[in-house]
Amino acid sequence: MDREPHGTTPRPDTVEVVVVGAGFAGLYMLHRLRQLGFSTRVLEAADDVGGTWYWNRYPGARCDVPTTDYTFSFDPELEQEWTWSEKYATQPEILRYARFVTERYDLRRDIDFGTRVEAARWDAATERWELRTTAGEHIRCRHYVMATGCLSQPKTMDIAGAERFTGEVYFTSRWPHEEVDFRGKRVAVIGTGSSGVQSIPLIARQAKQLTVFQRTPNFSIPAGNGPVRPERRAPLEADRDAYRKAAKWSRLGVPSTPTQIMAVYSTPDVHRERFEAAWQSGELVELANIFADQLVFPEANEILAEQIRAKIRAVVKDPETAELLCPRDHALGTKRACLDTDYYATFNQPYVRLIDLRAHPIRSITETGIDLGDEALAFDAIVFATGFDAMTGAIVAVDIAGREGVSLKQKWANGPLTYLGLMTAGFPNFFTITGPGSPSVLSNMMVSIEQHVDWIADCLAHLRALGMTTIEPTATAEAGWMTHVNDCAQITLFPDANSWYTGANVPGKPRVFLPYIGGVDVYRKACDDVVANDYLGLMRSGPGGTRCRDGVIRRVQPDMAMVLDLLATLNLPPLETLPVEQARFVMTQLSTGRPPGPTVGEIVDGTLPGAAGPLAYRLYRPVSPGPHPVVVYFHGGGWVLGSHESDDPLCRDLCKRANALIVSVDYRHAPEARFPAAADDGLAAVRWVAEHAAKLGGRPGALAVAGWSAGGNIAAVTCQLAHATGGPRIAGQLLLTPVTDCDTSRPSYAENANGYILTTSLMKWFWDHYADPAARTDPKASPLRARDLSKLPPAFVVTCEFDPLRDEGIAYAQALAAAGVPVSHMTARGHTHTSLTMVDVVVSGAAVRAEMGNALRRFFE
Ligand SMILES: Cc1cc2nc3c(=O)[nH]c(=O)nc-3n(C[C@H](O)[C@H](O)[C@H](O)COP(=O)(O)OP(=O)(O)OC[C@H]3O[C@@H](n4cnc5c(N)ncnc54)[C@H](O)[C@@H]3O)c2cc1C
């Protein structure tokens, strides 16, 4: 035992708050609660403070976030009093720091060491939690905070025969406090995650023989440990507050400017330069920020992964061993990457051997060593570096029962359900620090711990001020948050990897992406917004009654939300306040530098005869040999903005997905050419394309129309005109968020009036430029008003949740269906009017665009 247990003063068996765990989270929570005057007890299973750094004493254990950042920031004086000795501090130094913090704030007197909580039950009558410890003590509290750690519950041993081994057995996560001496011994290390990668080079320095058992190779980069890098030290010393603030509002909890450079659009030289700079920095934050698309597109990730493999091959002399060490079953970053010191070089030692567990699984551990079936290996010591039941393990290890006795384990049987990773419905006054659904393990944990502790402390103070005794998330708020957490994960490569982030390392654990990947900054804003909106989604009650503003804090798709945030920072004047020429200029400027979209076989520009003169068009040809079906496409822009080139990425995308020729037409624009010029040009263009299909490389007779926004309006009108005036025959109409009616009083105009790029006032401005009020009700302007919609081509209509045009799109789909037209209608949840055109930017729109491509293919079947 490192420290004396608490004195003989009896502890109160009822307090306002119990905190479980005395790692960094529990320590800071206790400090804040004390400052606020809450009576608090901290219960800790270990014999001392430190949590992770108390238990994980294996050789080589260090932090993998620079220690300048992996440190408390809540008190500038504390920072003045402590100096870290190197870039990545060792476990003993970090543990010394935890003890230093403990003594400095006199925290020890409220902590019970050697005290494990085994059960907790909500008593609705008294509105208190009743906790039971393994020693049989019962403690009652109003609020129950789990500061039990994300990586504190070792994975249960799942290797047969482990108990039979008669030699020395070590677990990296439960390392002895005495020094372990491997000199002259034959040592096995099982596991090559972070702990294995850190300990293997040091164990190899002592052992007579070292055998490493690897199931999955991990990506690792050299830590380059030593003095703190000037890139970190200088800004911190120059302005501590600014540096800490930058960390709080960064993506990963370490100051860094997210790159906008995309690997898929960069040259090999750029790939090499940017990778090499990250490699040399020895920082995981830099490794994660080489390209904006590295965790989105497999091909972008592979560019970086292959460069790491090249580094491994350059170090490891035996080519077979080098190949075994090269990760191939997951994308770089989707399992926690490692930082190492001489890890790969260790395998050049003649007495170090690597065994691939996929090719040679362990049959069992025996009295003397490890039996692989085709080979029996004898060892003096086995080290298990087999990892943790991450994020949920320590929480559900306690038998927790909420309202009506519902068990948390049962509630989370298919994966954890939380609101903000802080609370869970049905479990009042129950908080988790860095719980599932929060950035936690995907961030610098010190930053995330401080944020959660501050949020919880403020929340308890708020309840007290209101005279409220309970707080609990609503089902709506929790479900909304989980949808958002999942939306964030789905636009990345993370869910595909068999990692502990998804629970895949623990047999039987439900496969769910556990942390929140939207970023520390975005997450912090969401938590702040919940508070600013009167604790949105949190039911509070007390003697004075109940209070709850129910709702969902984040509904827009995360990547679209990023675009909206970025646009907000540009502070552009509303387009409708500008002269038309300037509005067109702004739109052109905004589209320069956007990702071009997928490669197609060929792009050809030409002109075709419109209703009143030549019109430019751009033709996109698929890579596959023709002839192809043809889609005439009408761009968006409210009849005022845009051109045959302006929807370039979307046209490429449709061309590729539908394997069809796309002919994007530059119809005449208002106000120079007002209604019905655009509609007349639409029909003229379709006629010309139909007549010249073969010459364009198209399949005669296989013709469809498509359009976005005002282009959707022209596409819909063209179908009506073609039907009414004798052709050509159109196989289908793809209408993406189309304008179908001049009535701007539908609810979607009010609900989505502002904030989603296309505003209600901009739409009115478009109408004003396009058509006189009297003309707008003409079906050539408002196709929804046509008297007869029957016999029109089959339609695929896409509407977006946050779009003023949503309801008229829905109305048109319904009207077509009512008239007997085969219609599919898709609602793009969380999307805006412009989302789906932002190819390779709003990646979450890809699934909808895939359906659009399928719809076009079906038109031609
Ligand atoms: C080897 C290793 C290296 C790491 N390096 C980094 C890094 O570089 N950067 C980073 O950001 N994060 C790192 N982490 C993550 C690390 O866990 C956090 O940074 C941080 O230390 C977590 O603090 P905590 O207080 O939340 O949890 P912990 O430190 O895990 O503390 C939780 C405490 O709760 C106690 N406990 C659990 N259940 C019970 C119970 N039922 N009753 C009583 N007590 C209980 C445990 O004994 C433990 O002491 C690392 C983790 C490991 C394992």
Side-chain angles (χ1 to χ4, degrees):
M1 195 166 21
D2 294 70
R3 283 282 184 282
E4 291 292 315
H6 65 82
T8 48
T9 330
R11 306 280 203 203
D13 61 4
T14 301
V15 285
E16 283 166 285
V17 189
V18 165
V19 178
V20 185
F24 286 125
L27 293 176
Y28 181 44
M29 191 77 244
L30 172 58
H31 176 60
R32 281 295 323 260
L33 291 171
R34 248 199 216 160
Q35 281 180 327
L36 291 167
F38 286 101
S39 61
T40 306
R41 278 181 72 175
V42 176
L43 310 178
E44 168 57 63
D47 290 337
D48 198 1
V49 297
T52 292
W53 307 102
Y54 170 91
W55 295 109
N56 292 267
R57 297 165 186 245
Y58 58 84
R62 289 176 187 271
C63 54
D64 61 9
V65 166
T67 356
T68 37
D69 300 273
Y70 189 68
T71 196
F72 279 129
S73 72
F74 63 85
D75 182 350
E77 283 180 21
L78 172 66
E79 287 201 60
Q80 290 298 323
E81 293 165 23
W82 184 270
T83 308
W84 294 104
S85 67
E86 51 187 335
K87 182 178 168 191
Y88 296 110
T90 58
Q91 170 271 329
E93 188 175 3
I94 303 174
L95 183 57
R96 273 202 303 282
Y97 175 72
R99 288 173 177 160
F100 171 75
V101 172
T102 306
E103 309 314 337
R104 192 188 185 284
Y105 299 99
D106 187 23
L107 300 175
R108 203 171 282 281
R109 66 186 156 88
D110 286 326
I111 308 174
D112 295 10
F113 294 106
T115 304
R116 180 171 288 281
V117 173
E118 62 176 12
R121 191 159 300 277
W122 173 250
D123 180 349
T126 60
E127 291 184 334
R128 284 200 168 68
W129 283 95
E130 186 169 314
L131 274 55
R132 192 180 70 233
T133 71
T134 41
E137 193 186 354
H138 289 257
I139 304 161
R140 298 169 71 76
C141 57
R142 174 78 71 198
H143 301 284
Y144 166 30
V145 181
M146 291 286 265
T148 43
C150 294
L151 297 169
S152 61
Q153 180 77 14
K155 211 181 109 172
T156 312
M157 175 58 61
D158 56 356
I159 305 176
E163 68 296 339
R164 285 164 58 198
F165 184 62
T166 54
E168 298 165 31
V169 173
Y170 301 101
F171 294 85
T172 50
S173 56
R174 291 290 180 267
W175 203 260
H177 292 199
E178 311 74 45
E179 198 172 324
V180 176
D181 187 357
F182 288 118
R183 272 176 303 183
K185 292 180 183 157
R186 297 161 302 171
V187 183
V189 176
I190 302 178
T192 53
S194 251
S195 306
V197 165
Q198 286 186 334
S199 60
I200 283 165
L202 290 174
I203 295 174
R205 278 198 209 162
Q206 287 193 337
K208 182 172 84 179
Q209 215 183 71
L210 174 64
T211 308
V212 176
F213 294 81
Q214 168 191 277
R215 188 171 54 192
T216 309
N218 277 295
F219 291 98
S220 184
I221 69 166
N225 206 8
V228 175
R229 286 205 309 149
E231 288 90 332
R232 294 252 166 254
R233 204 185 51 233
L236 180 61
E237 282 173 359
D239 189 343
R240 186 207 84 99
D241 290 349
Y243 188 89
R244 296 296 179 217
K245 191 171 172 204
K248 287 178 178 172
W249 291 100
S250 68
R251 203 174 43 151
L252 298 173
V254 178
S256 162
T257 310
T259 180
Q260 304 293 329
I261 301 173
M262 292 177 73
V264 292
Y265 300 125
S266 302
T267 63
D269 280 348
V270 173
H271 295 155
R272 264 191 304 277
E273 276 161 29
R274 293 188 63 80
F275 169 76
E276 200 56 39
W279 179 268
Q280 294 302 336
S281 76
E283 284 194 23
L284 295 179
V285 170
E286 301 294 335
L287 187 72
N289 191 32
I290 304 177
F291 291 110
D293 54 349
Q294 68 189 69
L295 282 166
V296 179
F297 299 133
E299 58 274 34
N301 195 281
E302 183 56 22
I303 288 166
L304 299 176
E306 190 46 36
Q307 295 195 67
I308 297 197
R309 291 185 205 117
K311 294 278 190 191
I312 297 171
R313 290 185 201 109
V315 173
V316 181
K317 294 192 180 122
D318 173 41
E320 213 174 297
T321 306
E323 278 321 303
L324 281 181
L325 288 166
C326 285
R328 293 194 183 281
D329 78 335
H330 64 280
L332 169 66
T334 57
K335 290 173 78 126
R336 193 178 180 94
C338 306
L339 280 184
D340 72 89
T341 305
D342 297 333
Y343 176 64
Y344 293 114
T346 301
F347 292 92
N348 291 333
Q349 301 294 342
Y351 57 88
V352 177
R353 181 179 170 197
L354 179 66
I355 290 187
D356 173 15
L357 287 177
R358 289 179 199 261
H360 308 279
I362 294 176
R363 180 187 277 179
S364 82
I365 294 180
T366 64
E367 284 77 6
T368 55
I370 295 179
D371 179 7
L372 295 173
D374 52 357
E375 193 179 0
L377 298 161
F379 295 108
D380 302 306
I382 301 180
V383 175
F384 292 96
T386 39
F388 299 92
D389 182 350
M391 298 206 70
T392 53
I395 300 173
V396 297
V398 178
D399 177 14
I400 301 171
R403 282 193 192 282
E404 275 100 47
V406 170
S407 116
L408 185 66
K409 203 171 180 172
Q410 267 168 21
K411 180 183 171 187
W412 286 8
N414 296 319
L417 302 171
T418 72
Y419 186 37
L420 304 170
L422 276 162
M423 301 196 77
T424 185
F427 296 78
N429 298 1
F430 171 73
F431 299 87
T432 52
I433 300 183
T434 63
S438 76
S440 59
V441 290
L442 293 176
S443 67
N444 172 4
M445 292 286 274
M446 287 302 232
V447 170
S448 290
I449 285 171
E450 283 190 348
Q451 188 241 342
H452 265 193
V453 167
D454 289 339
W455 195 95
I456 295 168
D458 293 348
C459 172
L460 298 193
H462 157 87
L463 290 176
R464 187 171 59 186
L466 284 185
M468 296 289 189
T469 46
T470 67
I471 183 164
E472 180 186 344
T474 65
T476 305
E478 179 171 288
W481 183 251
M482 294 319 298
T483 300
H484 176 60
V485 169
N486 195 39
D487 284 345
C488 291
Q490 290 308 323
I491 54 176
T492 72
L493 302 172
F494 274 90
D496 299 338
N498 288 321
S499 65
W500 53 259
Y501 296 139
T502 60
N505 64 325
V506 176
K509 190 165 172 171
R511 196 180 168 121
V512 176
F513 189 71
L514 297 164
Y516 175 74
I517 204 183
V520 165
D521 48 353
V522 173
Y523 174 77
R524 181 182 293 271
K525 179 82 172 59
C527 291
D528 290 354
D529 286 353
V530 165
V531 174
N533 284 286
D534 192 20
Y535 282 85
L536 184 76
L538 286 159
M539 170 73 77
R540 287 145 293 158
S541 65
T546 60
R547 180 163 165 162
C548 181
R549 187 170 161 204
D550 203 0
V552 172
I553 192 66
R554 289 290 177 262
R555 294 171 62 203
V556 176
Q557 289 288 343
D559 41 7
M560 189 60 218
M562 275 172 68
V563 172
L564 294 175
D565 287 348
L566 196 75
L567 278 175
T569 63
L570 298 180
N571 229 350
L572 295 170
L575 285 183
E576 64 274 23
T577 62
L578 302 176
V580 166
E581 277 313 317
Q582 262 187 45
R584 287 176 182 157
F585 178 76
V586 169
M587 289 312 290
T588 312
Q589 289 299 303
L590 282 177
S591 58
T592 50
R594 68 183 165 178
T599 306
V600 295
E602 188 187 24
I603 294 180
V604 183
D605 286 337
T607 50
L608 57 79
L615 303 175
Y617 72 82
R618 176 165 283 189
L619 180 148
Y620 302 81
R621 196 184 307 286
V623 177
S624 63
H628 300 97
V630 188
V631 179
V632 179
Y633 175 83
F634 300 105
H635 66 82
W639 307 282
V640 175
L641 314 172
S643 72
H644 57 303
E645 302 172 13
S646 57
D647 294 354
D648 206 74
L650 178 62
C651 290
R652 288 164 177 265
D653 199 63
L654 288 176
C655 171
K656 189 168 174 195
R657 290 183 191 278
N659 196 31
L661 283 180
I662 306 290
V663 182
S664 171
V665 180
D666 193 19
Y667 51 85
R668 282 171 295 158
H669 293 114
E672 295 85 347
R674 286 163 66 85
F675 173 81
D680 291 343
D681 280 347
L683 182 63
V686 165
R687 286 202 167 135
W688 184 85
V689 171
E691 281 161 22
H692 296 80
K695 225 165 126 195
L696 295 171
R699 218 168 67 210
L703 177 76
V705 294
W708 166 50
S709 190
N713 171 276
I714 298 171
V717 169
T718 299
C719 288
Q720 294 189 6
L721 294 178
H723 175 64
T725 59
R729 193 189 153 273
I730 297 174
Q733 46 182 331
L734 168 64
L735 309 179
L736 173 57
T737 61
V739 185
T740 68
D741 193 31
C742 57
D743 176 5
T744 56
S745 70
R746 290 190 168 81
S748 55
Y749 272 98
E751 286 168 25
N752 308 311
N754 289 300
Y756 304 113
I757 301 180
L758 177 65
T759 61
T760 295
S761 53
L762 179 59
M763 197 56 223
K764 288 180 177 162
W765 185 77
F766 285 143
W767 271 114
D768 288 344
H769 281 301
Y770 184 48
D772 296 335
R776 291 179 198 175
T777 51
D778 186 323
K780 267 175 93 169
S782 294
L784 183 60
R785 296 187 185 233
R787 250 183 286 127
D788 182 10
L789 295 174
S790 64
K791 304 205 173 63
L792 289 176
F796 188 75
V797 183
V798 179
T799 55
C800 289
E801 188 178 359
F802 298 104
D803 181 2
L805 304 186
R806 180 194 66 205
D807 293 347
E808 67 198 71
I810 295 171
Y812 197 58
Q814 288 170 344
L816 286 172
V821 175
V823 183
S824 299
H825 170 221
M826 191 169 185
T827 305
R829 179 181 57 76
H831 282 292
T832 69
H833 187 70
T834 53
S835 293
L836 300 168
T837 64
M838 296 181 156
V839 178
D840 290 351
V841 176
V842 180
V843 180
S844 56
V848 182
R849 287 199 312 276
E851 288 306 318
M852 286 159 53
N854 291 340
L856 287 174
R857 282 175 185 260
R858 278 198 303 274
F859 290 156
F860 302 122
E861 273 167 6

